[in-house]
Amino acid sequence: MRLQAMMATYGIQTQTPHEVEPVQIWPPSQLVKVYEFLGVTRKLGLKGRPPRPIGALGTSKLYRICGQTVICYPLIFEVSDFYLSHDMALLIDDIKNELHFVGKYWRMSGRPTVCILIREEHMRDTHFKEMLDLLAMFKKGHCDGLKIRTGRLQNLISSSCIEHLDFLHLLPPDIIPKFEAFQQLEHTSIGYQSLTDIPKAIIYSEPTYNFEEFTHKSTKDILDAISQTDTLHGQSQLLGILWYREGPQFWVDGITVKERLEKLTRQAGALRHWSVVRYCSSVLEKMVDSISPYITSTLVSGKQITVGIFGHEEVVIDHPLTPKEVKGIIYGQCQHHDIYQAVLQQEIILYIGRLISTSPHLFHGILKLRVGWIIQAMILYLKFLNENPPALHSLSPSDLRKVLFKVLETSDNVASNKMTAHQQRQIEGALCRVPRNFYDRVWDVMTRTPSGIIVAGHHLPQQPTLSEMTVYELNFALQVEMLLNRISAPEYRQILVELIMVVYLVLKRNPELSFGDPVDMDKLVHESFVTFIKDRPQEIAENSSDMTPFYNAPSKITASYLARAVMHNLLKYGPSHIDTREMCHIS
């Protein structure tokens, strides 16, 4: 009620859970429990709906359950054990995306009805003014172009979509779980207090030091250092060393290391100290809520995901996995190489899963979403913008998502940005983006290379590749992608993609020519680079093998040198390799 009175001063009308009665407000997890009984048949051994989260469309309906009318607030308002719930700017973006998703995909009778849940703790956030701006925009009847109607729930019910869940009546009363409505938090304070009485969160900063030396010191030295360290960063680093050395149940000043890290996570979350929050969350092996559905939505869109640190081994996710399986893969691949990336990669998977539903154009040309490489593209992007770029793990979740969006957008509109050619190739290569119809072009090249092609020392033979697959088959594209994934430098990968397009054009314009030996793509790039350097002796660096001048040349120039190398290799075979079957002859 105190929050309601404060919102009213801004002209925003709200309702407390008590005011919407007899309609009950449920968390989505309660609805999941109800659906676990859908279609249960003991005789046939049939179970109900798996305990997976209810999506945006499911929480936009009202439900009649055991004689009660129920509305669920969306999953984005759940208070999570993971740190994303500390970032209100992220919540505001999620609300907008949720509404646009529902507006785009709603196909049921009646209007979708979405419950926006505002808690008093939101008032303490530095982004609360942005939340007020969003609610004011709703009051005007729109949300970034989407028509919105706000009002009292009792006035909206008549036009809402109501679903009757009557299968619970068929179950014995003793197995039906007890469902509790969302309870309004009552405050002990008497009377209304102004917004100024509520402590605001501030942007917190502190000096950071390298505590790696303590990995070689005794446990006693670490305990002494903890008692003398007052920074959150220092405490988290030292507790992390103790966790891996002594285990989570090791006692420090009367509580276990695990309990102390949990407390530190909450403290750092309240202060928005994101690097400490991420470090503690990774040590505690926390998982973002409902990551599996976002992986599934990415797979459904025709993409694959790989998890792993840039420059190290990756694991491909090509089918839906349980949260436990996802956790095993992410922590198994990331934590021992880079402790922060175990949680950063979860964030990126989550943001990709949401973006791919709302902005699919950002992912055109990307078949395999290599999360470690995408993070590398983000690091490069920040490096190109700033001389002293911030570390990704120190950014707020909302800022991290903005960087991801900018990187995908920059790459999608290469011509409109101000990066050098080398920087563009690094970003494009790190995102593994290829031109339109690229895999079809590779197929056409393969038809003219009887001995196949070689990339990074690995051979892709013409046969049985072409006889066992079709040009539009996903398996062929994945085979090509697997070949390109063997390249370790993003900019070099991008040059090879450009080379394949050049080879296709040369062969298309010269139908009488074909390659005799296996086409070694690396050799062609090297020949192009050597010719390029001969023509530009002033650009030769001290290290003549440094290809930076070549990477920095515009694509029109590199294409001409790549084409010269291709023609040189085609013509050296002479007339004997011209396909005479295509020539005119008398039968």
Side-chain angles (χ1 to χ4, degrees):
M1 291 174 67
R2 169 176 150 175
L3 175 59
Q4 185 180 39
M6 189 281 295
M7 301 287 277
T9 63
Y10 290 91
I12 296 166
Q13 299 303 311
T14 57
Q15 286 178 283
T16 63
H18 177 70
E19 288 174 335
V20 301
E21 291 177 356
V23 180
Q24 291 191 18
I25 299 175
W26 281 10
S29 56
Q30 296 267 50
L31 196 57
V32 171
K33 289 180 185 176
V34 173
Y35 271 115
E36 285 180 18
F37 295 96
L38 175 65
V40 171
T41 309
R42 290 180 178 175
K43 288 182 180 179
L44 297 176
L46 295 177
K47 296 179 181 178
R49 180 185 182 275
R52 293 180 186 142
I54 302 291
L57 298 176
T59 55
S60 299
K61 296 185 280 189
L62 273 75
Y63 295 87
R64 291 286 294 170
I65 303 170
C66 296
Q68 296 177 327
T69 304
V70 171
I71 185 169
C72 288
Y73 56 81
L75 191 66
I76 56 175
F77 294 105
E78 284 276 50
V79 177
S80 164
D81 190 37
F82 204 71
Y83 55 81
L84 297 184
S85 57
H86 289 295
D87 189 348
M88 179 176 273
L90 193 71
L91 175 64
I92 292 167
D93 285 344
D94 286 342
I95 293 171
K96 291 179 181 178
N97 289 335
E98 190 100 348
L99 293 176
H100 279 275
F101 178 84
V102 172
K104 185 176 181 181
Y105 293 105
W106 184 262
R107 298 290 181 272
M108 286 165 271
S109 61
R111 287 174 174 166
T113 306
V114 180
C115 176
I116 305 290
L117 184 65
I118 309 295
R119 294 183 172 90
E120 189 163 297
E121 68 216 42
H122 292 148
M123 295 164 67
R124 299 179 177 88
D125 198 283
T126 51
H127 293 278
F128 187 60
K129 187 183 180 299
E130 293 172 33
M131 176 65 84
L132 289 173
D133 292 341
L134 179 69
L135 297 173
M137 185 165 60
F138 290 169
K139 187 181 176 184
K140 290 178 182 176
H142 70 94
C143 173
D144 294 343
L146 183 72
K147 287 185 179 179
I148 300 285
R149 180 188 166 195
T150 56
R152 295 175 61 83
L153 182 59
Q154 288 82 349
N155 298 335
L156 298 174
I157 287 179
S158 60
S159 62
S160 298
C161 173
I162 300 178
E163 187 151 324
H164 294 263
L165 304 183
D166 49 10
F167 51 83
L168 288 180
H169 294 294
L170 307 174
L171 300 171
D174 58 315
I175 71 165
I176 298 176
K178 290 183 180 179
F179 301 109
E180 296 179 1
F182 175 75
Q183 294 297 316
Q184 181 183 6
L185 296 174
E186 296 295 337
H187 292 280
T188 54
S189 58
I190 298 171
Y192 170 69
Q193 294 179 353
S194 71
L195 179 61
T196 56
D197 297 330
I198 299 169
K200 282 284 189 81
I202 57 169
I203 303 300
Y204 185 79
S205 62
E206 62 181 17
T208 56
Y209 301 101
N210 191 342
F211 287 84
E212 283 185 15
E213 60 179 289
F214 283 92
T215 56
H216 308 294
K217 292 190 176 184
S218 68
T219 300
K220 184 181 180 302
D221 290 339
I222 296 171
L223 291 171
D224 290 341
I226 289 174
S227 63
Q228 295 169 14
T229 302
D230 56 358
T231 65
L232 299 180
H233 173 261
Q235 288 181 40
S236 66
Q237 297 288 316
L238 293 167
L239 287 168
I241 295 168
L242 277 183
W243 172 288
Y244 292 115
R245 180 183 296 182
E246 305 290 349
Q249 301 306 319
F250 184 73
W251 288 80
V252 180
D253 295 334
I255 62 172
T256 64
V257 171
K258 183 178 181 181
E259 290 169 333
R260 186 132 180 195
L261 274 170
E262 291 276 12
K263 183 180 177 182
L264 196 61
T265 307
R266 292 190 295 272
Q267 189 180 355
L271 293 167
R272 313 300 191 257
H273 195 326
W274 298 111
S275 61
V276 172
V277 173
R278 287 191 174 98
Y279 182 85
C280 294
S281 297
S282 182
V283 173
L284 292 163
E285 295 196 358
K286 290 185 180 289
M287 284 296 292
V288 69
D289 299 305
S290 64
I291 193 170
S292 294
Y294 289 110
I295 288 175
T296 303
S297 65
T298 304
L299 298 175
V300 166
S301 67
K303 315 289 184 188
Q304 286 190 350
I305 301 170
T306 70
V307 172
I309 305 294
F310 176 78
H312 296 276
E313 187 184 354
E314 298 169 303
V315 171
V316 178
I317 300 176
D318 56 5
H319 61 278
L321 299 173
T322 64
K324 186 178 179 182
E325 290 170 329
V326 177
K327 181 177 180 177
I329 291 172
I330 289 176
Y331 278 96
Q333 290 301 120
C334 302
Q335 202 179 38
H336 56 289
H337 291 301
D338 183 340
I339 195 162
Y340 292 106
Q341 285 215 25
V343 288
L344 281 173
Q345 296 214 8
Q346 293 180 55
E347 284 187 64
I348 298 301
I349 290 170
L350 184 73
Y351 303 152
I352 285 171
R354 288 175 179 166
L355 278 173
I356 215 159
S357 301
T358 56
S359 308
H361 66 278
L362 294 175
F363 300 91
H364 287 170
I366 306 176
L367 178 64
K368 192 170 282 190
L369 294 155
R370 303 170 75 185
V371 182
W373 280 56
I374 290 172
I375 287 176
Q376 179 65 16
M378 294 165 70
I379 292 169
L380 290 169
Y381 178 78
L382 290 176
K383 185 181 171 185
F384 299 153
L385 290 182
N386 308 302
E387 288 185 12
N388 297 306
L392 282 184
H393 57 74
S394 69
L395 297 177
S396 69
S398 54
D399 286 338
L400 188 77
R401 183 158 71 173
K402 284 175 186 172
V403 173
L404 172 64
F405 187 85
K406 286 287 185 186
V407 166
L408 291 167
E409 193 179 42
T410 298
S411 179
D412 194 39
N413 300 291
V414 166
S416 64
N417 67 69
K418 297 178 181 178
M419 292 184 183
T420 66
H422 188 189
Q423 291 170 342
Q424 288 174 2
R425 287 189 172 106
Q426 283 180 293
I427 298 284
E428 291 277 285
L431 290 175
C432 304
R433 197 191 292 277
V434 296
R436 192 180 175 188
N437 301 325
F438 173 74
Y439 302 108
D440 303 351
R441 303 288 185 256
V442 177
W443 178 278
D444 293 339
V445 169
M446 293 284 290
T447 61
R448 305 277 290 281
T449 54
S451 301
I453 61 176
I454 298 171
V455 172
H458 294 271
H459 183 223
L460 180 64
Q462 186 193 64
Q463 298 298 340
T465 304
L466 299 190
S467 58
E468 290 182 353
M469 300 179 189
T470 61
V471 60
Y472 301 114
E473 192 174 329
L474 179 61
N475 282 342
F476 175 71
L478 291 172
Q479 193 83 20
V480 175
E481 200 59 41
M482 195 183 299
L483 198 67
L484 293 174
N485 284 357
R486 299 182 183 279
I487 301 164
S488 58
E491 58 268 52
Y492 186 72
R493 176 198 157 99
Q494 196 58 26
I495 284 288
L496 271 181
V497 168
E498 292 174 30
L499 170 62
I500 289 171
M501 296 299 286
V502 167
V503 172
Y504 162 76
L505 284 171
V506 169
L507 291 174
K508 183 184 178 184
R509 291 171 183 173
N510 299 276
E512 73 284 0
L513 298 176
S514 63
F515 289 95
D517 298 328
V519 184
D520 191 329
M521 295 293 177
D522 302 288
K523 189 178 175 184
L524 289 175
V525 172
H526 179 70
E527 285 183 23
S528 307
F529 173 63
V530 169
T531 312
F532 175 84
I533 291 298
K534 282 180 181 176
D535 290 352
R536 289 169 169 76
Q538 71 279 8
E539 293 187 27
I540 297 178
E542 292 180 12
N543 181 6
S544 60
S545 61
D546 180 13
M547 291 183 65
T548 303
F550 193 62
Y551 294 139
N552 221 9
S555 55
K556 286 182 180 179
I557 293 175
T558 54
S560 66
Y561 284 97
L562 293 169
R564 283 164 68 178
V566 172
M567 284 304 299
H568 176 260
N569 277 266
L570 275 170
L571 293 173
K572 74 179 181 182
Y573 297 113
S576 61
H577 284 87
I578 295 177
D579 192 347
T580 54
R581 288 174 298 175
E582 296 294 323
M583 302 177 101
C584 180
H585 63 278
I586 300 170
S587 59

